[in-house]
Amino acid sequence: MKILKIIALIFLVAFITIQFFPIELNQSDTVPKTDFLLVNTVPETIQKKLEVSCYDCHSNNTEYPWYSKIQPAAWFLEDHIKEGKAELNFNEWDDYSDRRKNSKLKSIINQIKDDEMPLESYTYIHGDAIFSADEKEEMIQFMEQLRDSL
């Protein structure tokens, strides 16, 4: 029994210690002129769905949930956000070449069709990020029209 108390104490001390290693927050006070929503004529319904379902991981401004202040959950979030922004950053949309935009739109369309985005781990807590069948179809049609206009 004494060994279990020692192990529990070690885990408690380790858990408390890692709380002193915060993450770098992905937050910005401004929306750049290159933002997807500014450089494209986006219907309000699409805009709201993008902000709710995509922008937390694919922009320079994340709205963090309460658990983002607790390690190791914060490290998990930080990693997801960095990976998401490396793949697609809506704030930098207009800096992409037309070829890259075309590729990103194709990827967005396919990932929404295949229910790969938003990530299931994200929708557990953010239920409003899940696409209804109508929202999914509307988003796909918009992205296809945008792709055709390039």
Side-chain angles (χ1 to χ4, degrees):
M1 195 61 157
K2 188 174 183 178
I3 192 87
L4 290 177
K5 287 182 181 179
I6 292 171
I7 291 171
L9 181 61
I10 290 170
F11 276 111
L12 179 63
V13 169
F15 181 75
I16 291 170
T17 301
I18 65 174
Q19 302 313 307
F20 292 101
F21 297 93
I23 62 170
E24 181 181 332
L25 294 178
N26 181 49
Q27 293 181 318
S28 175
D29 294 332
T30 61
V31 176
K33 294 177 183 178
T34 56
D35 185 78
F36 181 87
L37 300 175
L38 295 178
V39 299
N40 296 297
T41 305
V42 183
E44 188 175 342
T45 55
I46 299 287
Q47 178 177 339
K48 287 183 181 190
K49 198 62 182 178
L50 283 171
E51 289 171 343
V52 168
S53 301
C54 309
Y55 264 61
D56 273 349
C57 296
H58 295 283
S59 77
N60 296 331
N61 197 18
T62 301
E63 290 188 33
Y64 286 94
W66 64 269
Y67 55 87
S68 68
K69 295 181 179 19
I70 302 169
Q71 304 299 6
W75 293 332
F76 176 76
L77 287 173
E78 182 181 39
D79 184 53
H80 267 301
I81 293 165
K82 284 183 178 179
E83 284 180 25
K85 284 175 55 178
E87 186 61 36
L88 169 66
N89 187 337
F90 282 111
N91 289 147
E92 298 172 359
W93 182 258
D94 210 33
D95 288 338
Y96 295 164
S97 68
D98 284 348
R99 182 178 178 185
R100 188 164 185 207
K101 287 177 188 176
N102 186 49
S103 173
K104 295 300 178 189
L105 288 167
K106 181 180 178 184
S107 180
I108 290 168
I109 292 164
N110 289 333
Q111 289 184 8
I112 292 173
K113 278 182 181 177
D114 296 340
D115 295 321
E116 294 175 8
M117 285 289 162
L119 293 175
E120 191 173 356
S121 60
Y122 182 77
T123 61
Y124 286 144
I125 305 272
H126 305 275
D128 55 341
I130 298 171
F131 285 93
S132 69
D134 289 341
E135 289 171 330
K136 187 175 175 178
E137 186 58 36
E138 184 182 16
M139 184 69 71
I140 291 168
Q141 285 180 356
F142 174 76
M143 295 299 175
E144 286 174 341
Q145 289 172 348
L146 189 58
R147 187 172 174 221
D148 292 342
S149 71
L150 291 178

